[in-house]
Amino acid sequence: MNRILLAEDDNDMRRFLARALNNAGYDVVSFDNGKSAYERLREEPFTLLLTDIVMPEMDGIELARRATELDPDLKIMFITGFAAVALNPDSQAPKDAKVLSKPFHLKDLVREVEKMLAAA
């Protein structure tokens, strides 16, 4: 089963995303900050990291960089209201990362996740 690690500091958004992905058949483990999510990544493998960019303690780009150092095959998807930040070449975000800009429909999220995981 594809396992998704979700890092999103907005409690309501995190619950909605986790529920939508669970309903689509994915095993989702969620955290409200990048630091906790990174600690979990160090303990067990995941197929996809779904992370907000702007978060306390460790932002999503730093989380993604560190995560791909642990597992170069980990797929990365950013969810953000600040797409320009993720797309900035100076951000050092992983090159193959997908960016989904807020607001988005949950169906769009599930479709994008399915596409990324099908390409594995």
Side-chain angles (χ1 to χ4, degrees):
M1 173 183 270
N2 286 312
R3 301 190 69 230
I4 298 173
L5 182 63
L6 170 62
E8 166 63 68
D9 61 325
D10 180 293
N11 292 333
D12 291 334
M13 175 68 85
R14 189 174 61 255
R15 280 193 294 271
F16 285 128
L17 297 175
R19 188 177 309 129
L21 292 166
N22 281 136
N23 289 343
Y26 297 106
D27 180 17
V28 181
V29 178
S30 62
F31 291 92
D32 64 358
N33 66 74
K35 188 173 182 220
S36 297
Y38 178 70
E39 293 304 320
R40 187 63 174 266
L41 270 170
R42 293 177 58 183
E43 296 170 7
E44 59 185 298
F46 288 86
T47 314
L48 172 71
L49 170 63
L50 179 61
T51 181
D52 191 6
I53 290 180
V54 180
M55 291 186 297
E57 296 187 52
M58 181 189 297
D59 69 34
I61 292 173
E62 178 69 15
L63 172 59
R65 266 203 319 268
R66 290 185 182 192
T68 54
E69 287 171 7
L70 290 174
D71 180 0
D73 296 326
L74 182 68
K75 303 231 181 262
I76 308 290
M77 183 183 294
F78 294 113
I79 47 176
T80 185
F82 304 96
V85 174
L87 301 174
N88 181 343
D90 297 334
S91 72
Q92 299 178 339
K95 291 176 182 47
D96 296 333
K98 169 79 178 155
V99 178
L100 193 60
S101 296
K102 295 176 185 173
F104 53 82
H105 194 283
L106 292 176
K107 287 180 187 172
D108 295 331
L109 169 72
V110 171
R111 183 173 41 250
E112 291 301 325
V113 166
E114 286 172 353
K115 275 197 240 175
M116 282 192 84
L117 295 177

